[in-house]
Amino acid sequence: LEREPPPISSLQPMSPPALDRVVKLCLAKDPDERIQSAHDVMLQLEWIREGGSQAGAPAAVVAHRKHRERLAWGTVAFLAVVATFLTIGYLARAPIPAPLIVSEISPPASAKFVFSGTTAGPPVLSPDGQKLAFAAVGADGRQRLWVRSLNTSIAQPLQDTDGAIYPFWSRDSRSLGFFADGKLNRIEASGGPTIALCDANLPRGGSWGRDGTILFTPTVTSPVYHVPAAGGAPQQVTKLEGALSGRSHRWAQFLPDGKHFLFFLQTPGSTNQAIYAASLDGGEPTLIVRNTSDAVYAPPGYLLFVREGTLMAQRFDASKMQLAGDAVPLAEHVEVNTVINEAIFAVSENGILTYQSGGESADVVRPTWFDRSGKPGGEIETQGLYFDPAISPDSHKLAFAVSTTSGGNFNIWIADLLRGPKMRLTFSSETDRQPAWSPDGKFIAYTETSKGLFHLYQIASDGTGNATPLVVDDANEFDPFFSADGRYLLYERQTTQANSHREIWALPLFGERKAIPVLQSQFDLFEPVLSSNGKWLAYESSESVRQE
């Protein structure tokens, strides 16, 4: 009543001009000037669909640069696919399919996207569909948040967001939440100071509700918590127990009512991993669908998820927490960050979809040798997703963690670098990572996930015998490292409490073998490495702005 509404073309620039006129007539302030019936609206829309408005329609986007840019950027480029979900029901009945507008967005000049790994900042669309936020490393080597309006080709970095990962939008599209320096933070999308809300070490995603509540997973092994957007003490929402016991509950997303939300149950292996719906008011979460990565709700009522590289959409009743009908494909070769079980796509409330193209490439990663001049010296040929290479003391063997299936569990393998054969060392149904050789090369210590926690085990490097526990308690233990004399095993330790920090501990491999703390701090401490003479300890700390 105060003013004329903006034309549809200001929100969807590629919409037919005739649609502006139809909507304007539907919204006329004088009732006598409005279109009088839904039947008349249908006739107008059919005329537009059949090409009656083409004389005034904008020209299609020219796409001849797409192939060249894709060659230049390879898998770092992602596609912003424009589709209006609000009209899916109508278009499904129309004999002529609606046009699909596809455009490719390149990284900012002299910068690189950071969409994969454990320190990723995948693209997220503002709820109003007007802005895109993502993490990128600039020419100065610093990873920050960047924001780009979709009606421009320029992305702007947000100062005071160094090390930012996993951004998410406020419901009014004005602010961003993100994680950096062991904290959950917020910042205005137009720039300004960063405000720290609470601790979050090794987080796994966040979601900002309409009432100012933020859902987030503060650590890699925790359930979902909530905290006010103004900051405060986090409160636990879900519980890692019973059918929901696993490594963590992650990638929470509010549903339209602002009370219920989706989350992904991450477990070692892919058998029990699934999407659940839960409520801030408590109660038993509801199983929605089993999958190896997260899912996203898309208005007016769809669940989007990636399965075997294909982005699928399935009708979802958010009031009943039920799927309906069959899942239908939207796009192929959609990338998934299999390290953290997060599909790299996002959708706005007005039907814009963005995703990273690539798909299966993330599931095939091979370690490669380089000499001191930087010349490649060959690859390990076994196909899989590799992590944590560790060379034996005599340099003849390589231990590594590998997953041969997307979203599957990891096991430790050993490759003979002189003769070529490879041997699988662990056969656990859990996830085995971070192998470390004993100084004599006879044993390998490693990290295994057990009932949602990380613990340290040891096994003979020749594959004989069974694995034996080194450190198994009610905390998490990571990254084992033997001292050169073999008398101590150093490792990282962190309790399961939301505000806990990583510490460096040592296990004496003699006497009573009682673990002792080596370094404890109000900051996180990582990657302990002893000098060869055993007198110096090198490690990383989050005390400064960056992890150093």
Side-chain angles (χ1 to χ4, degrees), residues 388-400 412-417 423 425 434-446 458-462 480-484 486 488-489:
D388 313 322
I391 301 174
S392 62
D394 62 8
S395 300
H396 295 167
K397 295 180 180 179
L398 179 72
F400 50 88
I412 308 297
W413 288 63
I414 292 181
D416 191 318
L417 302 176
M423 176 184 70
L425 192 63
Q434 302 171 336
W437 293 86
S438 62
D440 58 10
K442 293 182 179 180
F443 294 94
I444 286 181
Y446 62 94
Q458 179 177 275
I459 192 169
S461 60
D462 61 4
F481 182 87
F482 285 96
S483 61
Y488 292 91
L489 183 79

Side-chain angles (χ1 to χ4, degrees), residues 267-279:
T267 63
S270 59
T271 305
N272 296 320
Q273 297 186 133
I275 313 299
Y276 281 82
S279 172

Side-chain angles (χ1 to χ4, degrees), residues 255 260 262 275-278 286-289 297 300-303 305 314-326:
L255 290 169
H260 292 84
L262 301 172
I275 313 299
Y276 281 82
T286 302
L287 172 64
I288 304 300
V289 63
Y297 175 82
Y302 290 87
L303 197 68
F305 52 91
Q314 189 168 359
R315 290 186 179 276
F316 178 66
D317 187 332
S319 62
K320 298 180 180 179
M321 304 299 165
Q322 291 180 351
L323 290 169
D326 296 326

Side-chain angles (χ1 to χ4, degrees), residues 428-474:
S428 170
S429 60
E430 308 285 353
T431 285
D432 301 330
R433 292 277 307 274
Q434 302 171 336
W437 293 86
S438 62
D440 58 10
K442 293 182 179 180
F443 294 94
I444 286 181
Y446 62 94
T447 303
E448 180 173 294
T449 310
S450 177
K451 297 181 179 178
L453 294 176
F454 295 93
H455 298 308
L456 301 183
Y457 289 80
Q458 179 177 275
I459 192 169
S461 60
D462 61 4
T464 60
N466 297 320
T468 58
L470 290 173
V471 183
V472 177
D473 57 20
D474 58 356

